[in-house]
Amino acid sequence: MHRNDRLSLQRIDRLSRDRLGAALYRDRAPLTITAWEVPGEPVPFAEAVAATYAPFEVGTRWGRPWGTVWFHVTGVVPAGWADAAGTAVELCVDLGFDSSAPGFQAEALVFRPDGSIVKAIEPRNATVPIETETVDLYIEAASNPSVAGTFTFAPTPLGDLATAGADPIYRLETLELGLLDREVWELTQDIWTLRGLVDQLDPDRTRHARVLAALGRAVDALDPDDPAGTATAARAELAGVLASPAAASSHRITAVGHAHIDSAWLWPVRETVRKVARTFSNVLDLIERDDDFVFAASSAQQYAWIKQHYPELFARIVTAVHSGRFVPVGGMWVESDTNMPGSEALVRQFVEGKRFFLEEFGVEPLEVWLPDSFGYSAALPQIIAEAGSRWFLTQKISWNETNRMPHHTFLWEGIDGTRVFTHFPPVDTYNSELSGAELARAERQFGEKADASSSLAPFGWGDGGGGPTREMIAAARRTADLEGSPKVRLGSPAQFFRDAEAEYSAPPVWSGELYLEYHRGAYSAQARTKRGNRRSEHLLRAAELWATLATVRTGAPYPAERLRRLWQTVLLQQFHDILPGTSIAWVHQQAEAEYARVAAELGDIIDTALQVLTGFGDVELTANAAPVPLAGSAALGVAAAATAAPIRVRADGDTWVFNHPRVTWTLDAGGRVVGGYDRIADRELVAPDRPAGVLQLFRDTPREWDAWNIDAEDTAVSTELGDAEEVSPTDDGAGLVVRRSFGASRIEQEFRVDAATGALDIIVRADWHERQKMLKLAFPLRLRAEQTESEIQFGHLTRSVHANTSWDAAKFETVAHRWLRLAEGAYGVSIANDASYGHDVHHGAGTSGGRHTVARVTLVRAPLFPDPGADQGTHEFRVSVLPGADVSEAVAQGFRLNLPVTTVRGATPVAPALEVDGPGIVVEAVKLADDGSGDVIVRLYEARGNRRCATIRPGFDWTAAEQTDLLERPVPGDVIKAVTPTAAAATAGFTVQLERFQLTTVRIRR
């Protein structure tokens, strides 16, 4: 017979699909089904088991969107099934699954009558082992709607409980017993592995021909009318090609069981709790049935949910962790975004995550596991190292739309010079099923193949898909040493990293941020969520400072547990689909409610501590929790209120003028900034034909991933909002209000000048009702900046303004925290904000454009997916421009906007918690030690980008100062240079020396 590979493969595929699938079960038997629909939110097992159940038939519709139906199934295993050789009895379930992704639709968790959990049901993990003669099980079925569908990004009401509807969306297709034929199942796995391998082999090579021939012989040996009886013969035809070993130089893959579960996304947080329970129960079932399987899961928050809601399941996890089979990884509270969380918040992700794993399991993850976050801050390597971790893993950079990262295993270098051993799995997915295509892709794409041969492949269905399956483990077994395939071993992340480090002693270095050339809109979607995060971070800073000072000065109790709980709430909201604004409406509604609750409780902590510190009285005081002097108040203390005359606006012909000793600001009759004269530097910052502080409107219609993405094409054309409807001074004469309307929206800008610095403050109040539009506040400046300095955690990042290379051009929207700074030589201008993260900076257009630089702050967007009502309603933003600003002044402006002084009434001022004698050293946090010792923890960093020294003088009695890691454990180091010999008085101090952008934690013993 002449060879025709295409026809041979068609025959193999057809027989495998039609005959083997139907023959997996030798027999089936019905069960008795009753059901109870939960009238509201999910209930615990004890409540569900006591409910009244009604008869239910297969084929009946069930489950409103986001609803829960409990099925009770009973019956008896048919006689003879238990004694049938080569078989296993299983409960087979089809809740009405469709072709969409397995984690984005109906799921279920199976309980025994005593409330213990068996395992879960998902589209590709839809069976439950039955090992008793009788069946009595309760199935908690969640009718989660497929919000994304097939990811066409069409607007949908399903993401909001109020608009999702009430009609049943699923139909129960199968709920019965099945007698699994183990040999047919094994044959199915043999064919799946080899069929996937064939597609990756060179058709002209011997191996391809022999594997294809073996598959052909196997289907010849398989009797279509008796697959069960001929499965062994068919397997025998495949034994030879399955036993042929891989080449010595084959790529080696460590396959790690995994299930990436977003802590919220296209489902609410409460559903994530159940998704985690379902997946973890599946994993425990696999661990009990397979001796080599290892599963890695991140996010301490998810373990904490299990401990709280499923204590019996958590106890089983503890046992599996101690055996090394269930491996906590990541060491973070959640897999957070890393671009937008503030310095201390990103630290606390590690502190809270690692503390949980140490306290609950006695283990400390050393690998940071962030496969799906949307780019990675250049401050992260230092934070990783200071947290005591060694390795970093991510996958998301493979989504770059322009440039491909040149490395998969490398040293990642942060802004301070810290390097961390990093791996990007070249399999390019964190939901692998270990298919032939995936394994071949890992070897083909591995960038370091000339010097190294190891990569990691996380396998398992994520996001509620159920995690790893027995089929995936079978694939790993068959590819452990298979000719034509990489060698696969089941193992842990730590095993991989130790081996990879040993094999590759001199990897290449990547310096700076890991910028994701995609998902740039995540810096600005869901503006209220972002404001809530920014506000919460600064309130937490203030609450810890004042509570610490109240304790060390007066002996007041320190609210450690309250603060820890509030931190954990804020850390959860920093998950990489919450803070970026890329979740359904339900998630963001809940986040905003949580932020309001956090603000109220922190306000109470702050008020209580300040009252204790200042005493009862009627003296007007200003409390300054910032690490810089503000409004006449020293840093980190409470001073007598200082009154400064406001800078008033005056009319001057057709213009409005603010005169400050440092800067004169001029606005035209249309409410645009047409002058910014720096009196000290004798230079004008605003070009005559390019007004500043203008609002620009952009179309926002990305090709895909609406809330996530901003497309370069949409940023190329803008409409400047025209002349104002109204321009008038504020009642106090110190501000100018400009009102405009467009579309269905109204925008109000209020211009004021800070009396202390001369900075122009622009408050933008928007009643926003646009769709698929983006609003930016633009500042064309007469200044040629070659680079921008953007604040990130513990320092700032320098980026090029030009777009000479594809790498530069791809960064057309970037992230900054509280400020960015543009500089022409030694002269700089800072632009600070109180709630924004997305920015773009570029040189002007046209032949003269190279002489000025345009900086824009992205204020608000209006994507339609996944929340069609995103950003609708009222918003407020504050942006401030300061000419002649150096880095220290930029830092100070960031604190002025984000942590302004607060007015309190008391009896007396309060001396600062500590004094820092040395510019450029910033106090990030002041708190009591987590161990309850009463020691004070101070976190510091160098902010200017130069090595420098400073003397720290604690404002309380102390005995010693020592350097620690982020978890407050002593570490060797040379940060603390000298301690005043008489360190018993509150006036004593100690000297620290910090390298460029170095952060350090100091324990001050009391």
Side-chain angles (χ1 to χ4, degrees):
M1 180 181 294
H2 292 289
R3 172 181 163 189
N4 187 311
D5 290 356
R6 180 179 60 83
L7 297 180
S8 296
L9 289 171
Q10 285 180 337
R11 181 169 181 269
I12 293 163
D13 292 343
R14 177 69 186 274
L15 283 169
S16 300
R17 181 181 66 246
D18 291 355
R19 300 298 179 171
L20 286 182
L24 274 176
Y25 291 93
R26 294 185 187 178
D27 200 357
R28 295 177 181 267
L31 293 165
T32 300
I33 308 169
T34 58
W36 171 63
E37 183 172 12
V38 181
E41 283 292 277
V43 300
F45 175 82
E47 184 176 340
V49 76
T52 300
Y53 287 68
F56 197 93
E57 298 292 333
V58 170
T60 304
R61 298 194 70 80
W62 69 278
R64 67 184 185 279
W66 305 114
T68 301
V69 173
W70 284 80
F71 296 105
H72 185 198
V73 292
T74 57
V76 177
V77 175
W81 277 25
D83 299 325
T87 64
V89 181
E90 295 182 337
L91 178 70
C92 302
V93 186
D94 183 345
L95 297 172
F97 303 132
D98 60 30
S99 60
S100 61
F104 298 78
Q105 49 183 296
E107 308 165 45
L109 187 59
V110 182
F111 295 79
R112 301 180 185 91
D114 63 0
S116 60
I117 294 171
V118 184
K119 67 177 293 289
I121 294 293
E122 291 92 5
R124 301 185 194 179
N125 197 338
T127 62
V128 179
I130 301 297
E131 296 169 339
T132 58
E133 293 182 359
T134 60
V135 178
D136 188 355
L137 297 171
Y138 289 85
I139 303 173
E140 181 195 31
S143 49
N144 299 332
S146 180
V147 173
T150 56
F151 285 93
T152 60
F153 312 106
T156 172
L158 292 172
D160 189 337
L161 189 61
T163 59
D167 294 334
I169 57 175
Y170 291 104
R171 182 173 64 193
L172 183 64
E173 299 290 349
T174 304
L175 187 48
E176 62 188 11
L177 291 177
L179 186 62
L180 178 70
D181 189 308
R182 294 185 184 275
E183 191 72 355
V184 173
W185 185 87
E186 295 287 354
L187 174 60
T188 302
Q189 311 317 309
D190 292 345
I191 291 177
W192 188 84
T193 296
L194 291 171
R195 178 64 185 84
L197 179 65
V198 162
D199 283 343
Q200 307 306 315
L201 296 172
D202 184 343
D204 295 326
R205 301 301 295 270
T206 301
R207 178 63 169 166
H208 181 278
R210 291 186 177 176
V211 173
L212 185 56
L215 286 167
R217 293 194 302 271
V219 297
D220 286 343
L222 187 72
D223 185 346
D225 296 322
D226 185 20
T230 54
T232 299
R235 292 195 71 199
E237 297 295 341
L238 302 176
V241 291
L242 281 169
S244 183
S249 61
S250 293
H251 186 66
R252 298 193 301 273
I253 292 176
T254 300
V256 178
H258 183 53
H260 175 77
I261 305 176
D262 288 320
S263 291
W265 181 25
L266 302 181
W267 49 86
V269 168
R270 67 90 153 145
E271 195 55 35
T272 310
V273 177
R274 301 202 294 178
K275 285 177 179 283
V276 174
R278 296 176 196 124
T279 297
F280 284 9
S281 67
N282 285 343
V283 167
L284 292 170
D285 180 70
L286 281 176
I287 286 174
E288 291 172 1
R289 299 173 189 282
D290 191 285
D291 292 337
D292 298 328
F293 170 63
V294 177
F295 178 77
S298 69
S299 303
Q301 172 69 88
Q302 297 185 357
Y303 291 82
W305 282 330
I306 299 299
K307 182 182 179 182
Q308 177 184 356
H309 297 284
Y310 303 91
E312 178 265 343
L313 189 64
F314 187 75
R316 293 166 59 193
I317 291 172
V318 171
T319 300
V321 169
H322 290 162
S323 71
R325 307 286 303 286
F326 199 118
V327 181
V329 293
M332 298 175 71
W333 189 247
V334 295
E335 290 185 15
S336 75
D337 179 79
T338 74
N339 285 313
M340 290 176 284
S343 302
E344 189 64 16
L346 198 51
V347 162
R348 297 301 176 94
Q349 288 286 352
F350 288 90
V351 170
E352 291 300 322
K354 285 204 166 190
R355 283 203 191 284
F356 183 91
F357 291 136
L358 285 164
E359 291 170 359
E360 300 295 338
F361 305 124
V363 300
E364 180 179 359
L366 299 182
E367 60 284 286
V368 177
W369 188 277
L370 285 172
D372 191 31
S373 296
F374 309 153
Y376 305 92
S377 166
L380 197 53
Q382 180 177 197
I383 297 172
I384 290 171
E386 287 291 311
S389 294
R390 292 176 53 185
W391 307 305
F392 178 65
L393 178 140
T394 184
Q395 181 69 64
K396 200 68 173 187
I397 301 300
S398 68
W399 285 41
N400 275 6
E401 65 182 358
T402 304
N403 299 285
R404 187 165 189 83
M405 284 292 293
H407 310 299
H408 287 94
T409 300
F410 58 97
L411 295 177
W412 179 24
E413 181 180 273
I415 55 173
D416 72 311
T418 297
R419 294 177 178 178
V420 60
F421 191 86
T422 298
H423 183 64
F424 290 171
V427 70
D428 270 5
T429 178
Y430 41 83
N431 294 303
S432 172
E433 56 182 327
L434 302 180
S435 67
E438 291 169 340
L439 300 180
R441 181 169 66 236
E443 180 166 18
R444 182 175 63 253
Q445 295 190 163
F446 185 53
E448 280 62 56
K449 60 172 62 75
D451 301 297
S453 59
S454 302
S455 72
L456 184 148
F459 71 93
W461 301 117
D463 285 332
T469 65
R470 60 187 178 185
E471 290 80 9
M472 295 174 189
I473 295 175
R477 298 263 185 248
R478 285 159 174 77
T479 53
D481 192 11
L482 180 65
E483 183 184 357
S485 169
K487 296 180 180 180
V488 177
R489 69 166 181 181
L490 297 172
S492 70
Q495 282 179 287
F496 163 76
F497 276 111
R498 283 194 295 267
D499 292 348
E501 275 187 318
E503 177 190 42
Y504 201 20
S505 60
V509 176
W510 179 273
S511 181
E513 68 182 325
L514 294 172
Y515 177 88
L516 178 63
E517 297 175 354
Y518 208 55
H519 290 2
R520 304 169 184 90
Y523 306 146
S524 46
Q526 297 284 4
R528 280 183 291 271
T529 296
K530 290 173 170 60
R531 172 171 287 280
N533 175 73
R534 183 76 69 84
R535 181 68 175 141
S536 297
E537 290 178 344
H538 289 82
L539 286 173
L540 280 161
R541 168 198 281 265
E544 288 187 333
L545 169 69
W546 301 130
T548 296
L549 205 51
T551 298
V552 300
R553 295 268 177 86
T554 74
Y558 185 73
E561 288 307 313
R562 290 179 73 189
L563 288 166
R564 187 176 187 185
R565 173 173 47 80
L566 292 167
W567 263 117
Q568 289 174 357
T569 299
V570 173
L571 297 179
L572 169 59
Q573 311 311 318
Q574 292 177 339
F575 177 72
H576 66 251
D577 274 309
I578 302 180
L579 181 53
T582 52
S583 290
I584 57 174
W586 190 345
V587 172
H588 292 288
Q589 292 163 4
Q590 183 176 357
E592 291 165 29
E594 292 287 0
Y595 286 135
R597 182 183 63 79
V598 166
E601 191 165 352
L602 288 173
D604 178 63
I605 293 173
I606 291 168
D607 291 345
T608 299
L610 286 173
Q611 188 68 74
V612 168
L613 286 165
T614 62
F616 289 95
D618 202 33
V619 178
E620 188 171 286
L621 305 166
T622 55
N624 179 15
V628 296
L630 293 177
S633 298
L636 311 176
V638 183
T643 57
I647 305 300
R648 298 186 180 277
V649 65
R650 64 177 177 83
D652 184 4
D654 292 335
T655 63
W656 299 90
V657 178
F658 292 92
N659 276 315
H660 183 276
R662 182 171 179 175
V663 192
T664 296
W665 296 100
T666 305
L667 284 80
D668 67 10
R672 298 170 298 183
V673 180
V674 293
Y677 176 64
D678 185 334
R679 294 169 177 268
I680 297 173
D682 187 24
R683 63 182 295 170
E684 174 60 56
L685 286 176
V686 181
D689 57 342
R690 294 185 176 96
V694 295
L695 292 165
Q696 295 178 347
L697 192 66
F698 295 79
R699 189 177 75 174
D700 191 9
T701 55
R703 289 177 284 271
E704 55 186 359
W705 299 105
D706 294 27
W708 293 256
N709 285 3
I710 293 173
D711 287 354
E713 294 88 342
D714 283 343
T715 67
V717 180
S718 65
T719 300
E720 185 175 309
L721 300 189
D723 287 345
E725 297 172 349
E726 180 184 354
V727 179
S728 60
T730 57
D731 291 342
D732 64 359
L736 190 70
V737 175
V738 180
R739 295 184 177 90
R740 294 180 174 87
S741 296
F742 63 95
S745 302
R746 289 181 58 82
I747 305 291
E748 178 181 283
Q749 288 174 280
E750 182 178 334
F751 295 87
R752 289 180 176 266
V753 172
D754 179 55
T757 63
L760 178 65
D761 292 347
I762 307 174
I763 303 97
V764 180
R765 302 181 184 96
D767 186 11
W768 180 252
H769 297 285
E770 305 309 301
R771 306 281 181 172
Q772 293 187 300
K773 299 287 192 298
M774 177 168 55
L775 185 68
K776 286 176 174 272
L777 184 63
F779 299 94
L781 300 174
R782 292 178 66 180
L783 166 142
R784 177 173 173 79
E786 297 288 350
Q787 298 174 318
T788 64
E789 295 165 325
S790 299
E791 187 189 35
I792 62 172
Q793 300 89 353
F794 301 108
H796 59 264
L797 183 68
T798 300
R799 300 184 180 99
S800 297
V801 174
H802 64 70
N804 286 356
T805 72
S806 59
W807 293 89
D808 298 315
K811 296 180 181 180
F812 58 81
E813 182 86 0
T814 59
V815 69
H817 284 191
R818 292 168 295 210
W819 57 268
L820 61 78
R821 179 175 176 269
L822 312 175
E824 181 182 276
Y827 184 83
V829 176
S830 72
I831 300 175
N833 73 85
D834 75 337
S836 301
Y837 295 93
H839 297 76
D840 73 279
V841 181
H842 58 276
H843 289 138
T847 56
S848 64
R851 296 196 178 111
H852 73 275
T853 306
V854 181
R856 294 188 292 215
V857 183
T858 306
L859 300 180
V860 64
R861 299 178 60 216
L864 298 182
F865 181 86
D867 175 10
D871 285 317
Q872 300 300 296
T874 59
H875 303 270
E876 182 172 304
F877 308 90
R878 184 182 295 263
V879 177
S880 183
V881 184
L882 178 62
D886 61 17
V887 170
S888 291
E889 288 179 299
V891 170
Q893 290 303 299
F895 280 110
R896 180 174 68 85
L897 265 60
N898 287 273
L899 197 56
V901 297
T902 57
T903 301
V904 297
R905 291 194 176 275
T908 181
V910 180
L914 54 88
E915 296 178 353
V916 180
D917 182 12
I921 302 293
V922 175
V923 176
E924 178 60 25
V926 178
K927 60 184 286 292
L928 286 193
D930 287 343
D931 61 9
S933 63
D935 294 342
V936 175
I937 301 297
V938 178
R939 196 123 41 229
L940 308 159
Y941 70 97
E942 194 286 313
R944 287 189 175 183
N946 293 289
R947 179 186 302 177
R948 65 187 66 250
C949 290
T951 299
I952 312 297
R953 293 187 178 87
F956 48 86
D957 291 341
W958 60 287
T959 60
E962 64 181 5
Q963 187 175 342
T964 74
D965 67 4
L966 298 182
L967 274 71
E968 302 169 15
R969 301 173 294 198
V971 294
D974 58 359
V975 165
I976 300 173
K977 292 299 183 181
V979 177
T980 302
T982 57
T987 56
F990 58 92
T991 301
V992 298
Q993 179 175 297
L994 298 182
E995 303 294 320
R996 167 184 168 90
F997 296 135
Q998 183 180 1
L999 81 92
T1000 192
T1001 305
V1002 177
R1003 176 190 287 266
I1004 304 175
R1005 296 197 178 275
R1006 295 172 53 232

